[in-house]
Amino acid sequence: MTPDEYYFEEGCFIIELHNTPDDPAVSVARARVEPGHTTRWHSLAGIEERYLIVQGTGRVEVGDQVGRDVRPNDLVRIPPGCRQRITNTGPDDLLLFAICTPRFIPAAYRDLE
């Protein structure tokens, strides 16, 4: 863990890169999922999220769609309120940028497990 990184209840480690009330339209965080781990089923009320995979391999599940494998440079769009989770299927950390519009606020997080 780096000094700016914290564990989030979703089941991954987060570094907030851009999330401020001065720019309510967007937030960007780097998420890290450890090998073999899966984040909790969750949704974000009123927030559209995009995962931009930076490093590693994973399997993402969005809504009722069949899960799909992801790798660096893949982009996953998650509509507001849609359930989601991601599994790290590789031997190294899975890193992704979580881009939220409007910006992420903890009150929007819904644990679905």
Side-chain angles (χ1 to χ4, degrees), residues 52-58 71-73 88 92-96:
L52 176 58
I53 309 302
V54 177
Q55 172 187 303
T57 58
R71 60 188 181 150
N73 300 319
N88 181 341
D92 301 312
D93 285 342
L94 173 63
L95 300 179
L96 59 102

Side-chain angles (χ1 to χ4, degrees), residues 32-106:
R32 179 172 65 87
V33 181
E34 294 177 318
H37 287 151
T38 300
T39 60
R40 296 177 65 82
W41 277 115
H42 67 285
S43 65
L44 299 180
I47 296 173
E48 182 166 359
E49 187 170 21
R50 288 173 177 83
Y51 290 167
L52 176 58
I53 309 302
V54 177
Q55 172 187 303
T57 58
R59 183 155 186 87
V60 67
E61 297 169 271
V62 177
D64 294 327
Q65 297 175 1
V66 174
R68 71 173 180 133
D69 294 331
V70 291
R71 60 188 181 150
N73 300 319
D74 284 346
L75 184 72
V76 179
R77 182 182 164 270
I78 304 154
C82 192
R83 75 183 188 136
Q84 59 179 291
R85 71 179 179 179
I86 192 166
T87 301
N88 181 341
T89 59
D92 301 312
D93 285 342
L94 173 63
L95 300 179
L96 59 102
F97 290 124
I99 305 159
C100 293
T101 54
R103 79 181 184 98
F104 174 81
I105 55 171

Side-chain angles (χ1 to χ4, degrees), residues 10-23:
E10 175 184 336
C12 61
F13 296 87
I14 299 291
I15 296 176
E16 294 284 352
L17 300 172
H18 179 79
N19 190 348
T20 175
D22 296 338
D23 186 5

